[in-house]
Amino acid sequence: MLLWRTKIPEDWLARTLAHLPAVLVDHAHLERKAATSALNLEKYRDLFDRVDELNTIAIEELQHFQLVLQLLRKRGIAFTQAHPSPWISGLMRSVRNGTRQQVIDHLICCSFIEGRSCEKFQMLAEALRTVDPEIASFYGSLVESEGNHYATYILMARAIDDKETTRRMDFYLDYEAELMRHSHTLPILH
Ligand SMILES: [Fe+2]
Ligand SMILES: [Fe+2]
């Protein structure tokens, strides 16, 4: 996994556990948006020959979305509106739209979201192991898949332009650390 330049804020886990139903709703939206992101990446000419892999990711994300929806129903939690994440909007705002390198930025942002999700799902799986084994094993079951998505997006960016990816990764690691330090108190995963 990536060498992040900052840790997830100390209070993140406690805050997330205290608002688990709301976080599950946010998680459902996150999986929905992850499926959409995989499909959106198919618009780039540089990714036309990766369309099958992107479809596979989109299908996996939709399956995750379905799993979270089932969990919500089982627990009587309503699927309600999504809260925008300042961290995700911050990342997406930095994509150099209209440039040849837009695809590199977009792939790096998607990979960071996958990477941080992977890390956070692992933390939740550990923290909930004895308290809520059902959700713990659910989160545990997603870790590998999100980790693979993270790696796939980085490798796709490197296959397009390795040097530019290295250069932008350096920028994005600093930028992500700055966004992460601007903590918020919303009941959302990111
Ligand atoms: Fe997912
Ligand atoms: Fe994913």
Side-chain angles (χ1 to χ4, degrees), residues 96-115:
R96 292 167 296 175
N97 290 320
T99 68
R100 203 181 56 80
Q101 299 95 343
Q102 182 180 340
V103 60
I104 303 288
D105 290 4
H106 201 161
L107 281 165
I108 293 174
C109 288
C110 288
S111 83
F112 276 29
I113 298 167
E114 297 288 337

Side-chain angles (χ1 to χ4, degrees), residues 14-118:
R15 181 159 41 86
T16 303
L17 294 174
H19 302 280
L20 206 50
V23 167
L24 283 169
V25 172
D26 176 64
H27 181 183
H29 284 289
L30 200 68
E31 298 292 0
R32 177 183 61 74
K33 288 184 257 185
T36 312
S37 293
L39 295 176
N40 281 341
L41 287 167
E42 295 177 358
K43 72 185 175 190
Y44 296 108
R45 195 181 40 203
D46 286 316
L47 291 171
F48 285 172
D49 60 347
R50 314 297 297 261
V51 151
D52 291 329
E53 289 163 83
L54 290 165
N55 277 343
T56 302
I57 294 179
I59 291 165
E60 282 173 18
E61 303 294 19
L62 265 185
Q63 286 166 341
H64 297 167
F65 180 30
Q66 278 299 117
L67 290 172
V68 191
L69 284 177
Q70 281 165 16
L71 203 60
L72 290 178
R73 281 187 201 118
K74 197 171 164 193
R75 295 189 173 219
I77 304 165
F79 177 61
T80 49
Q81 217 183 333
H83 289 285
S85 150
W87 179 82
I88 292 179
S89 338
L91 281 177
M92 296 314 290
R93 241 195 334 266
S94 68
V95 172
R96 292 167 296 175
N97 290 320
T99 68
R100 203 181 56 80
Q101 299 95 343
Q102 182 180 340
V103 60
I104 303 288
D105 290 4
H106 201 161
L107 281 165
I108 293 174
C109 288
C110 288
S111 83
F112 276 29
I113 298 167
E114 297 288 337
R116 282 298 195 188
S117 292
C118 175

Side-chain angles (χ1 to χ4, degrees), residues 72-177:
L72 290 178
R73 281 187 201 118
K74 197 171 164 193
R75 295 189 173 219
I77 304 165
F79 177 61
T80 49
Q81 217 183 333
H83 289 285
S85 150
W87 179 82
I88 292 179
S89 338
L91 281 177
M92 296 314 290
R93 241 195 334 266
S94 68
V95 172
R96 292 167 296 175
N97 290 320
T99 68
R100 203 181 56 80
Q101 299 95 343
Q102 182 180 340
V103 60
I104 303 288
D105 290 4
H106 201 161
L107 281 165
I108 293 174
C109 288
C110 288
S111 83
F112 276 29
I113 298 167
E114 297 288 337
R116 282 298 195 188
S117 292
C118 175
E119 198 184 358
K120 287 176 173 177
F121 292 171
Q122 203 153 19
M123 287 168 77
L124 287 171
E126 278 163 30
L128 291 165
R129 189 160 295 147
T130 51
V131 194
D132 193 331
E134 186 187 33
I135 298 199
S137 78
F138 169 63
Y139 277 116
S141 74
L142 296 181
V143 169
E144 195 187 333
S145 170
E146 310 304 7
N148 286 338
H149 298 161
Y150 154 77
T152 303
Y153 286 150
I154 292 287
L155 291 173
M156 283 181 176
R158 292 208 175 281
I160 295 168
D161 190 335
D162 191 46
K163 249 173 102 176
E164 180 65 6
T165 302
T166 301
R167 210 178 64 77
R168 285 302 273 177
M169 283 284 278
D170 185 51
F171 162 79
Y172 270 110
L173 283 168
D174 276 346
Y175 183 57
E176 193 273 342

